[in-house]
Amino acid sequence: MSVKEKEEWNTGEGILKWDRCFDCGQELHGAVSLALGWACWKTYLGRSDRDRNRCQAMEVLGTTLRESRPKEAVPVLEANLALLRRYWPHDEN
């Protein structure tokens, strides 16, 4: 977890708000996780391909789809991987 993520922990801000409860830190799952995965993607969809939050939003969507709809998750995760390789090929994170 990055310093920025630790600072945003329990605030309901940043990309973590789509993955965990900001009150208790519990990972979300099931229908709630899927709904928030789509909401996350829709929030950042209009940004540039180079925007890190947009890329992370695609990862959040792919991860939540993987739980309940694995076949739908594959193209989302592949597209996310392609963006990571294109814009951040040497990123250590």
Side-chain angles (χ1 to χ4, degrees):
M1 184 178 293
S2 73
V3 171
K4 182 163 177 57
E5 287 174 331
K6 286 185 183 199
E7 290 172 354
E8 292 174 348
W9 191 259
N10 291 338
T11 66
E13 297 177 12
I15 205 73
L16 287 177
K17 74 179 173 184
W18 305 104
D19 186 51
R20 298 179 179 273
C21 172
F22 65 85
D23 284 332
C24 68
Q26 178 180 348
E27 278 190 46
L28 302 171
H29 54 86
V32 172
S33 177
L34 185 58
L36 287 175
W38 278 109
C40 179
W41 173 240
K42 290 177 183 180
T43 298
Y44 297 104
L45 174 61
R47 296 187 180 190
S48 161
D49 283 354
R50 293 177 185 239
D51 184 89
R52 194 171 288 273
N53 285 327
R54 183 183 189 272
C55 190
Q56 289 176 328
M58 188 183 294
E59 182 179 353
V60 168
L61 176 60
T63 301
T64 59
L65 282 170
R66 188 180 66 205
E67 292 177 17
S68 59
R69 302 176 182 176
K71 289 183 180 178
E72 293 176 34
V74 171
V76 174
L77 293 169
E78 287 175 342
N80 182 251
L81 181 59
L83 282 177
L84 288 170
R85 287 180 174 161
R86 181 173 183 183
Y87 296 117
W88 299 282
H90 302 293
D91 194 2
E92 296 297 321
N93 296 340

